[in-house]
Every structure is written in C-alpha cells, then in structure tokens.
Amino acid sequence: MWAMISSTPHTAVAAVDKTSWSYTVSVRSLCEFTAKRGDLDRRFTPSATALEGLKGQNTVVSRRGQDYETEIALEGTCGQLQVRGRADGYDPRRRCLEEIKTIRGHPDEIPENRRHLHWAQLQTYGALFCRTRHVSEIALALVYFDVESQTEVELREVFGAEQLDAELAQRCAHFTEWAEQEARHRATRDAALTKLAFPRAAFRDGQRGLAEAVYRATAKGRCLLAQAPTGIGKTIGTLFPLLRAMPGHGIDKLAYLTCKGTGRLAALETLDALRAGTTGQALRILAMVSKDQACEHPDKACHGAACTLARGFYDRLPAAREQAIAEGWLDADAQRRIALEHGICPYYLGQELLRWADVLVGDVHHLFDPNGQLWGLVQALDWKLAVLVDEAHNLVERARQMYSGELRASQMRAAAQIASAGIGASLVTLTRSTEDLAASAASPYAVLETAPDTFVQAMQDAAGALSAHFHRQPLAVGPLLDFHFELQRLLKLVEALSDHSLLEVQTRSSTSTGIESDGDVEPRGPDATLRVRNVAPACFLRQRFAALYSVTLFSATLAPPDFAIKMLGLPENTAWIDVPPAFPAEHLVVQVASEVSTRLADRDRSMTRMLDVMARQFDEHPGNYLAFFSSFDYLEKAAAALAARRPEIMQWRQDRRMSASARQAFLARFEPDGNGIGFAVLGGLFAEGVDLPGALLIGAFIATLGLPPVSAAQDAVQARVAKLFGAEHGYADLVPAMQKVVQAAGRVLRTPEDRGWLWLLDDRYHREDVVALLPSWWRLG
C-alpha cells in the first residue's frame, strides 16, 4: 500500500487516448446543462423539504393501482454518452410515465424556466423508457403534488418514441463536447494524481503514520477518527494520501471541510502547492463561499426583474463556466472576478461549479446543515465523495447549532407590526400562544415533553400566511422575509422533535428584535423564548455518514473516540488512530497547582495562590504567556489583581466583543523578544487556531477545568445526554471541557523545536477521570 504514497516522483504515464472516451451522465445533470435558460429565479417560494418530498411521492403512489411501477431504473447510450436515471412511476393501465414533483402552492407559481426543465427531464426518461420497453408511443405526465392541500395537478401529453429519441439525441449532442472535455480531464487528473509526489523533502515524525491511516481508511471506504497533535502537519498529512487514493478507488470528488475559517486558508495554501506538482495543474480547486459573503446585492431578490446579475444568468453561464474550468484555481476572488466579467451572480456561479470541481474547500455546513447544498448534490448526482473534516472536535457543537433554533415573542410581535393586517393577525395569535406557553410553565426555564397541538397549529397558520404573502410579493426582501425563514426553520425542528432535542420555554427581559416597527403590540409579561436545542445530532447525520464514500475527521483533541462516534452517528466500524507528538514529552513541562481551586466558591480564597504561581513562573522564565479563564468576569478580576500586585508585568486582555483589527492587535503583542501575559477566555477566540511558534509564546496558564456554567439549561442537557448515553461518560460536561483545555494547551508547542511550560491551575487536574482525558504523553508534575 505505501508504495502508493511516496515522496519520490514516478515515471510519466502514457498520454490519454485521444480517439476513444466515454462519459456517464445522470438525466438530471444532462437536462440541467442543456435545458436551463433565461433568468436566475431564486425568489422565495415555499418549497417542500426532502422529507415532505418523500412523503408526498409516497402519497401519490398510494393513490395508484396495484400494478403501478415505481423507481424505474433507466439507462441508454447516445453516442459516447451513457445516460442513466430513475423515473418516479409508470401506470401500465394508462401507459403513462410520471414524474412527481412535491411543491407548496400551485404549479402556475413555478417559474417558466423551471417547468421547462421538469419537462426536459421527463421527456428524457420517456425516450429511455421507450427504448427499454420497445414502445412506439407513451403518455408523459408531470404530477405536481401540493403538500399543504394534499392535491395533485397533472400536466399530461402524449409523445411518439421517435420524437423523444430525437430530442434526447439533440440534448446529448449539445452536451457531448463538454462531456468529452470532462472525460479527458478526469483521465488527466487521475494520471497526475497517480504520480503525485509529496511536496516536502520528507515526512515529519508522526505525519507518515497519519497519512497511512488516511489512505487505508479511504481504500476500504471507511470512516476514520484521527487524533494528531500540533506540529506534525495535519493538513498536508491528510490531503496528500487522499488525493493519491482518488484514482485507484474511483473517487469523484474530495471535500475539505472546516469548522473555522483559518483552517480553510491553510487548506487552500496546501492545495496550491500540491496542485503545482500535477502535470498541467490538473486539479480543479473550488472554495465554497457562503451567500452572505458572495452576494453582490443583498438588498435585491435573486431574480432578473430585481437584480441585473440574475437577468439572463443561464444564457451567460456557459461562457463563464468555460472560463472558470479552464482556469481551475477557483478561490472566492477568482469566482467573483469571472462572474462579474460575464455579468452573472458570483454566488450562483460557485454553486454551478460544484459539479465540475475536483476538490471542494469550505465550511462544514455545506455538507451537514439541513439545507446544505453539497449534501443535496451528493444525493441527487450519486457522487463518490471522500471527506476530510479539520478541527473536528468542533463538529458536535456546530452540528447541534445546525439542528437548533429559537424565536422570541418580541420577534413575533415586531413581525406582526410590520406585516399586513391578514398576516399580522396570525402572527399576533402565534405571539399570544408563545406567551401563554411560557406563562403556563412552572419556572422561568422549562423543558416541554411535546409541543401542544394548539401551539403547533398557530405556528403552521403563521407560516402559511407568510407563505401566501410571499407568493403574492415574490420580489420582497427584508426583515419580514428573514423572520419567515426563521419561523419555517423552527417549525420543521418542532415537527421533528424527539429525544435528540429539548423543547425549551424561557422568560426573560425583552431585548432588541432586529426588526424596526412603528406600531405597538403590548407584551403580556417578560419576553418569552421558544427554543429547540439539539443535544445529540447523530440522528440527523447518521444517514449522511453512511452515504459518503469515506470520511476522515481529524483534530488534536478527539479523545475519547466513542464521544464523536455516538454523538455524530458515525458507523460502528469507524477506525481510530492517536498519533504521537512530533517532539519529546519533556519539551512541554506540565505542572498542576494543587493548592489552587477555581471552583466558584473558592476563587476569591485561591486568587493569591494562583497569582503566586503565575508570577513565580514569569520571574523564573520570562517571556510571552497566555492565561485562560472560564469567563470574562473571572478574567478581569484576575488581571486586575495581578496588575495591582505586579504592575511591571505587561498584560493585554481579550474583550467581550473584538473586531478583526482588535484581534490582530491582541496577537501582535506576542513579539519574539516580548515579555507579558495575554488574558483570554477558554474556548474563545485565542484558545485554538492561534499559531505562535518559538519565542512568540513560551507558556500557558489554564485557570479553569472548562466545565460549562451551572444553569437550569445545562442540567436539562446533562439529564437528556444521560438518558441517551448514560451519565458515566461525561459527554455533557467533562469530555468537551477537557477537549477545550487540551486545545488551549496546544498553543504552546507549535513546532518540534519549541519548548514551553503549561500550568493547570486547579487541584481537580489530579482526579483520575480528568487525567484519563488528558494526553497520555503529558507528565503531570
């Protein structure tokens, strides 16, 4: 196996055969490439969810006869193209092939160019069906099923087999030149990756073991949890072997996903170096950019009538796509430049380029969010996708956020004030229902077992009224539309409620709603919040991990592996590797201040002892240090006490709200010949993703165990996690706390040459359950 991963260049492979090629394309991809035309039309239309689509299709099928055929696999050759797909249903009594589209509303509200695409897909299925079944004529029916009214609208036409075959041939002819280019690109790409050389002189200690584990897991199509310390080069140690595995295992695409933006920058830099090592720079690299970052006109609807970059989008897309694919390096700047040169939207150009790139770099939400575009394409186009997740210790919390949502009564009230009378009434009813729900709770914070039917009905009525409003006002944007998105999101979470989430009702003082209004709807008591808090995202993610070809999650803090496996829904056969550090254990001196307690009740009594430890360490080994605390209040109290006691020790502090320039100024204080202490919050901006090698940082103080603050909400989370997984594992508190501690400690040693000091300022660091979660190579003194 390891011969496939070598730092020695291989001899050149034979040139790609210029006379023969083949290309397999799905019906959907063929039609989207050839039949989309006119304006981009992304005005808000309340579309059905994937689950609603499945239920809707099942409802339609249940209304057909017993001899009705479903999920009909179809395939056919058209020149050098192999076209394949799966038709929804065939009614033999009517000799009618059906394509079922689940929608909200009436088909007349579907944009014309989208209906044209639907017909193109159905006609292509019809051509393949006629070939397969040897029939000369067939009826084709577009069946639009409205999930709200549970009614069907059928658009039916009869076509001859020759007509359908001619239209298929025309579509294939339109696509053939592009398909040949793609087939040759794939062959060139795979040939280049087969001989890809490691771009460094040699592997670092631990890096080869990591790369081997990634390659083996990918070769077997398995998931891997890789815990690897700072300093071994995890980015290139995971990207290189996976790129080398792509040709031999038929992998279509590689996605490098991160939980924070700094990881994406490192990935793009590494991919730039790796791409330079391929013949003709054969890799297409695409940065996935969020709409918030890419949209040129956020105040306009995504439609030709409102935005010039949407007008004629599909007519100008082919030239922009051709240029982008030719360039191959498609970071955010390149996408914007190409899009504006052709007068189209940069964001939706990037969405189109997802189909044609080899390596995708972006945030984890693109794959794991309920509406993640990458996940949607994996499902629709049946990609063989291999995934790397950097900073994977954050994925549990990020996924929880993706499947959580909340709305305050004050937001509902403000939305009612700016809405028209018909909509406002339903929003007032929803507001009152939310306030009544909070008023009936036994305490200011309560967890409900289920949502009352009357409340769910109020949510559905309000969402329906808003849906109807935006049908009538399709170009509307602004706070009311934003509120509707949040309401739709929360409604879906309430409807999917189970043991994996808590339904919380909380009352508190009213705060800003983010929606300005002129009127007033008098609140009935403190502001009420309804929240769905996800505690275990496994039930949402399990299907996704199972559908991906391979996934490697890596971080310096993933232990214990069962935490990620159970919380995220990883397969039971997920592999685990714990890579040893790239430096001797003695390079990091780890001390526990047994005389210090940072428990809330002990902090004032322990403050002097804690400052003694910090001052003594600084006097004996002057240099730059980071000191981490559990909260800003504790941080500010300790920093003030040290300043009063030792004013000559320079210090700088993390603020509660820091701009990008303030963050840079904080980090700029760490100079090679500097002496001082930077005060920061554990788990915050400076506790991970900060690279201060050598003399820039020589030590850290961690004045907390990192446990979550005591609260009614935390008690509820712990109780629910205990119910799901058992209370003995510490999944709700101790495990994530220790991961934050180890992440913060990882700021000290950044290269194999670094040496430093780590002080754990709490007597609980000697507890067996705590020690068991710390790195095994730490030698506690």
Side-chain angles (χ1 to χ4, degrees), residues 13 73 75 188 262 294 535 550 599 721 728 732:
V13 299
E75 190 167 343
T188 302
T262 52
V535 298
S550 75
R599 299 169 183 85
V721 171
E728 68 275 12

Side-chain angles (χ1 to χ4, degrees), residues 196-279:
L196 180 67
F198 191 67
R200 306 285 188 262
F203 287 97
R204 295 179 183 176
D205 291 342
Q207 195 176 51
R208 177 181 287 272
L210 173 63
E212 289 177 342
V214 172
Y215 189 92
R216 281 195 298 267
T218 304
K220 296 176 181 178
R222 293 179 63 185
C223 290
L224 169 68
L225 286 167
Q227 180 167 273
T230 299
I232 71 166
K234 293 189 287 291
T235 304
I236 197 168
T238 53
L239 273 170
F240 174 71
L242 192 43
L243 289 169
R244 288 296 300 269
M246 289 178 74
H249 300 282
I251 297 171
D252 297 314
K253 297 180 188 297
L254 185 164
Y256 189 104
L257 306 177
T258 70
C259 296
K260 296 194 175 181
T262 52
R264 294 194 287 281
L265 295 175
L268 287 170
E269 290 174 358
T270 301
L271 284 164
D272 191 26
L274 288 165
R275 182 172 180 262
T278 63
T279 305

Side-chain angles (χ1 to χ4, degrees), residues 386-404:
V387 178
L388 297 171
V389 180
D390 193 2
E391 305 155 330
H393 61 280
N394 288 307
L395 186 56
V396 170
E397 187 56 35
R398 283 294 309 276
R400 283 172 170 166
Q401 294 169 6
M402 294 175 200
Y403 294 92
S404 299

Side-chain angles (χ1 to χ4, degrees), residues 720-735:
R720 184 58 56 88
V721 171
K723 177 181 177 181
L724 293 172
F725 306 109
E728 68 275 12
H729 304 296
Y731 289 170
D733 47 20
L734 191 58
V735 170

Side-chain angles (χ1 to χ4, degrees), residues 21 45 181 258 278 336 359 366 571 682 736 738:
W21 60 274
T45 53
Q181 170 188 283
T258 70
T278 63
R336 182 175 187 271
V359 182
H366 293 286
L682 189 71
M738 289 303 98

Side-chain angles (χ1 to χ4, degrees), residues 25-92:
V25 62
S26 69
V27 169
R28 172 173 169 169
S29 292
L30 175 66
C31 294
E32 287 186 341
F33 190 93
T34 60
K36 278 189 173 181
R37 63 192 184 194
D39 293 350
L40 179 69
D41 191 348
R42 295 288 180 172
R43 294 172 295 177
F44 175 72
T45 53
S47 57
T49 65
L51 181 59
E52 288 172 335
L54 180 61
K55 289 180 178 179
Q57 185 166 324
N58 289 338
T59 300
V60 173
V61 169
S62 70
R63 297 172 178 177
R64 303 299 188 254
Q66 291 185 348
D67 54 351
Y68 188 78
E69 299 178 42
T70 61
E71 295 294 311
I72 305 155
L74 298 169
E75 190 167 343
T77 301
C78 190
Q80 289 165 295
L81 295 180
Q82 191 75 13
V83 183
R84 65 186 184 189
R86 196 175 293 273
D88 289 335
Y90 176 66
D91 187 342

